[in-house]
């Protein structure tokens, strides 16, 4: 199953909290990993977000 999302959460090695990255169009996991490798480093964890995901307060 190929997952395409606009908003992704990621965590780099040594980070305690997740960060987010957004795209103008839905992209696959491999595109997100490539973009992160070029800008901030290799993600240890990566999650796709949807508009129906619950937000924690």
């Amino acid at each position: 199953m190929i997952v395409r999302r606009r908003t992704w959460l990621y965590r780099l090695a040594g980070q305690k909290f997740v960060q987010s990255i957004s795209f103008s169009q839905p992209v696959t996991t491999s595109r997100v990993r490539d973009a992160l490798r070029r800008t901030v480093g290799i993600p240890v964890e990566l999650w796709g977000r949807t508009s129906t995901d619950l937000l924690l307060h």
Side-chain angles (χ1 to χ4, degrees):
M1 176 188 204
I2 297 175
V3 176
R4 294 179 192 269
R5 300 283 187 255
R6 290 178 62 163
T7 303
W8 292 81
L9 300 175
Y10 67 94
R11 190 175 63 81
L12 300 174
Q15 289 185 329
K16 196 176 222 181
F17 301 102
V18 299
Q19 298 181 50
S20 67
I21 185 170
S22 296
F23 297 87
S24 58
Q25 295 182 358
V27 294
T28 62
T29 305
S30 62
R31 286 221 172 165
V32 176
R33 286 187 195 280
D34 289 343
L36 290 172
R37 273 190 212 117
R38 288 191 309 267
T39 57
V40 295
I42 300 170
V44 174
E45 296 179 281
L46 188 61
W47 306 272
R49 292 265 340 261
T50 66
S51 60
T52 59
D53 288 345
L54 296 176
L55 295 176
L56 300 176
H57 298 281

